[in-house]
Amino acid sequence: MLLQRCNCSSTSSYVQKIITKAEYLANSSNAGFDGNINVINPTDNKIHSLKVKSKWIFKGGHEPSLNTQIYSHTPSAQLVSQVGELSKLKIFEHSRMGKRGIVVPENSGFKSAYDIGRNETNRDLFDDWYHDNYSVSYWARIALDTAGQIGVSLDIFTGIQVQFVFSDQSTARFKVERFQIGDLKFSYVPNSSRNKDGIPIADFGRSFNGEYTFNNELASRGIEIRVVRVGSTGGRVRITEISTSVE
């Protein structure tokens, strides 16, 4: 039995993950592949399992081709139980929170997603805050122990994303970049910062575009407005270009 992890969102994506793995193994061996492959998604507590047969056949040409057949397969009750326990861990719960996100209090020192998107230094500091306040390292160790019991590698964490909501209702996302020295390293997801209206907050060094409420939101951040097309209603202006000052 082989076990894979996937952030899959549809049945077809699970099936494709399984077929791709089986064909990779078959390509690595003249004997092909014949066995069961399970794909799990701890974030959503889902398991897809198939029996796969990939073998080399000749169809009259000089080179063999790979023929892959798939059959339904029911995962074991033990695997279902173990993945269920894994999905209950807070690190996966936080990932499931989606747009609701983790609320970041002002006393954290981070009042807005501007503090993250527009200041690269703050991103590592914010990762430290998340670890210090939500026992991320502890969850990681527990998840790793559980994952080891069912034979999942460290990449079980790779790509997990968590959204954070700041006191001004702006948002930013971080994802697991790697597992290092027994701990999870979260990194900022580029271009993921949004203001309270859902308008993108340009990352440091990038230009702003979009419709912003006409107030001091940008000016208070030291962002120079160069070109503004006026004429919108409801107190909004269409910003076609903003030069981002060095901060």
Side-chain angles (χ1 to χ4, degrees):
M1 179 187 75
L2 290 174
L3 194 64
Q4 300 285 298
R5 176 188 174 270
C6 181
N7 288 322
C8 303
S9 57
S10 65
T11 299
S12 61
S13 57
Y14 280 98
V15 172
Q16 187 56 54
K17 176 83 172 180
I18 292 172
I19 293 174
T20 299
K21 181 62 176 181
E23 292 183 342
Y24 168 78
L25 293 170
N27 274 315
S28 304
S29 168
N30 293 330
F33 174 81
D34 185 351
N36 300 330
I37 299 179
N38 298 290
V39 175
I40 69 172
N41 184 342
T43 301
D44 294 334
N45 189 19
K46 291 183 178 180
I47 308 173
H48 281 258
S49 181
L50 291 174
K51 181 174 178 58
V52 186
K53 290 185 178 181
S54 289
K55 60 182 179 179
W56 296 101
I57 61 174
F58 284 92
K59 294 183 177 180
H62 296 290
E63 297 292 333
S65 59
L66 189 63
N67 177 265
T68 300
Q69 296 177 310
I70 59 175
Y71 307 89
S72 61
H73 178 72
T74 302
S76 69
Q78 182 182 15
L79 179 60
V80 171
S81 175
Q82 289 171 319
V83 173
E85 288 303 309
L86 197 60
S87 71
K88 293 176 183 177
L89 292 175
K90 286 290 186 180
I91 194 165
F92 296 112
E93 179 184 314
H94 282 187
S95 182
R96 283 194 294 272
M97 291 178 71
K99 292 183 178 180
R100 288 183 296 134
I102 303 299
V103 175
V104 182
E106 284 197 36
N107 62 13
S108 67
F110 304 97
K111 298 182 179 181
S112 172
Y114 279 94
D115 299 332
I116 306 300
R118 304 289 300 153
N119 189 320
E120 294 174 311
T121 302
N122 279 343
R123 297 170 190 176
D124 283 339
L125 296 176
F126 187 80
D127 179 36
D128 292 340
W129 173 83
Y130 184 39
H131 277 69
D132 291 343
N133 288 270
Y134 286 93
S135 304
V136 173
S137 298
Y138 172 74
W139 301 338
R141 288 193 294 271
I142 297 298
L144 185 59
D145 288 343
T146 306
Q149 293 174 21
I150 59 178
V152 182
S153 65
L154 292 180
D155 68 0
I156 187 172
F157 302 110
T158 304
I160 292 175
Q161 293 194 15
V162 177
Q163 177 148 297
F164 296 91
V165 182
F166 297 84
S167 59
D168 65 352
Q169 298 305 300
S170 61
T171 61
R173 282 183 287 119
F174 280 70
K175 69 177 179 180
V176 176
E177 196 67 39
R178 63 187 181 276
F179 192 88
Q180 61 174 26
I181 318 176
D183 196 8
L184 293 181
K185 172 63 178 177
F186 278 81
S187 298
Y188 171 69
V189 177
N191 307 313
S192 68
S193 295
R194 299 288 185 272
N195 71 4
K196 64 181 179 63
D197 298 316
I199 305 299
I201 297 171
D203 286 350
F204 176 75
R206 298 179 65 89
S207 296
F208 276 75
N209 286 281
E211 190 170 271
Y212 287 79
T213 301
F214 188 69
N215 58 20
N216 65 349
E217 177 183 348
L218 299 179
S220 66
R221 305 288 173 181
I223 299 168
E224 175 189 356
I225 300 177
R226 278 191 177 175
V227 180
V228 177
R229 183 177 300 160
V230 183
S232 299
T233 58
R236 292 176 177 268
V237 293
R238 168 62 60 178
I239 297 173
T240 56
E241 178 189 349
I242 294 180
S243 172
T244 54
S245 305
V246 176
E247 298 177 10

